[in-house]
Amino acid sequence: MRDVAAEAGVSAMTVSNALTGRRPVSEPTRRLVMETVERLGYQVNVAARSLRQGRTGVVGIAVPTLDSHYYSQLSHRLVRAFSQAGLATVVEETHASREGEIAAFRDSRLNAYDGLVIAALGLTEREIDAFSREVPVVVLGEQELHRTVDHVSMPNVDGAEAATRVLLDHGRRRLAVVGFPRLEDVGAVHLPEGAAFSLRTEGFLRVARAAGAEVSSSYAGVTQAAGWQCAQDLLARPELPDGVFCVTDTLAFGVVRGLADGGVRVPEDVLVIGFDDVEDARFHIPSLSSVAPDHDALVQEAVRLLQRRIQDPSATPQDVTVPFTVVERESTLGRGPVPGGGPGAAG
């Protein structure tokens, strides 16, 4: 680094800042440093830096699956945000299992990651607390309130309540929630994303029942195919719901297709609204109304909290819930935004 600084006529600290982005440097200076680095063939000695700083510059990201609209987009956003913060990432799939989540913590420790962001579904709060003593961690997701680790969560109950009000405001009174067992079977089915799905169902039921609406539910899994199966279940009932709240957009895509296969039109016959506002919601036919958590805020908070935890392992844990809007599109009679335009948020 000193050789690069001498050749470029700047200080070693300026070279460091240009390479790491820790402090801003002017664009001409950054270009000069990078050209000098290229000319001299300079490479960061990662092992030496790790020994000196006690860090590797690498963080782990552990999600249940990359084969889903929500988690693939979340992982992409996290990788990009950590890169902008000067940190490399390793992304792992836990397959929504306790064993997979334990493996993510083990890999973080063995590979000396500086920290771990994990969407934990299978581990208990006590287990996560124990693992967090070995590696800085930020938990994403909807387990019970984490009082001992940093936690970023979605507005599950409030968002579901707002989505249900959209259906009610359009005059719908026979409402169904997709992504939760039949209400008479609650407790008999294990939900892979149990806390999130349960909280969203809680918000749906609270508003629907307060309005005197008929309520029902259906569950077949978490995929688009499961949404299609739930639509077949709803079609087979004596009276078809006229409004459907799906606890994820992925399920909503399957429901819309399943209803269409049964000759039922969305939104003319049944309104459908989802949760997560994944990018595909804008391009679906019909375009899908959805609860839109502030994804940028979720990622920014996760990065901020992990960097803070790495810098100060004794910092008081924080629990953050990101804000949301409801985006009405064609599936609930909204015109919706033009793809590529700004979000058509309402509510």
Side-chain angles (χ1 to χ4, degrees), residues 69 167 174-180 216-235 237 240-267 269-275 284-286 288-289 331-332:
H69 296 86
L167 301 176
R174 298 190 310 279
L175 305 185
V177 55
V178 166
F180 200 77
S216 60
S217 60
S218 183
Y219 177 80
V222 299
T223 63
Q224 289 190 62
W228 186 92
Q229 290 175 348
C230 288
Q232 306 315 301
D233 175 34
L234 297 177
L235 287 165
R237 298 183 185 183
L240 181 69
D242 56 11
V244 179
F245 167 59
C246 300
V247 298
T248 69
D249 289 346
T250 297
L251 286 170
F253 296 147
V255 166
V256 172
R257 178 69 214 189
L259 291 174
D261 287 348
V264 175
R265 301 167 301 168
V266 175
D269 303 319
V270 178
L271 301 188
V272 176
I273 188 167
F275 199 117
H284 196 259
I285 299 176
L288 181 68
S289 299
S331 68
T332 56

Side-chain angles (χ1 to χ4, degrees), residues 180-191 219:
F180 200 77
R182 292 203 181 196
L183 299 177
E184 60 270 23
D185 297 334
V186 171
V189 178
H190 169 69
L191 302 180
Y219 177 80

Side-chain angles (χ1 to χ4, degrees), residues 46-63:
V46 176
R49 184 178 67 181
S50 299
L51 287 171
R52 185 175 68 253
Q53 298 179 345
R55 296 178 191 147
T56 60
V58 178
V59 297
I61 298 171
V63 295

Side-chain angles (χ1 to χ4, degrees), residues 110-260:
L110 293 177
N111 294 307
Y113 297 164
D114 292 342
L116 175 69
V117 174
I118 183 169
L121 304 177
L123 294 176
T124 65
E125 181 177 358
R126 179 175 296 181
E127 288 172 323
I128 292 174
D129 177 46
F131 287 126
S132 69
R133 297 170 191 172
E134 301 176 358
V135 58
V137 62
V138 172
V139 175
L140 305 179
E142 321 312 329
Q143 288 203 348
E144 297 300 320
L145 179 67
H146 290 278
R147 290 173 288 276
T148 57
V149 297
D150 294 302
H151 181 218
V152 184
S153 63
M154 303 274 264
N156 289 298
V157 175
D158 290 346
E161 289 181 349
T164 308
R165 290 191 191 97
V166 168
L167 301 176
L168 292 169
D169 288 347
H170 284 294
R172 305 306 160 113
R173 289 298 181 271
R174 298 190 310 279
L175 305 185
V177 55
V178 166
F180 200 77
R182 292 203 181 196
L183 299 177
E184 60 270 23
D185 297 334
V186 171
V189 178
H190 169 69
L191 302 180
E193 300 192 30
F197 287 17
S198 296
L199 289 170
R200 292 173 189 180
T201 300
E202 176 187 329
F204 163 82
L205 291 174
R206 182 180 299 169
V207 170
R209 285 172 170 164
E214 298 177 27
V215 295
S216 60
S217 60
S218 183
Y219 177 80
V222 299
T223 63
Q224 289 190 62
W228 186 92
Q229 290 175 348
C230 288
Q232 306 315 301
D233 175 34
L234 297 177
L235 287 165
R237 298 183 185 183
E239 193 168 26
L240 181 69
D242 56 11
V244 179
F245 167 59
C246 300
V247 298
T248 69
D249 289 346
T250 297
L251 286 170
F253 296 147
V255 166
V256 172
R257 178 69 214 189
L259 291 174

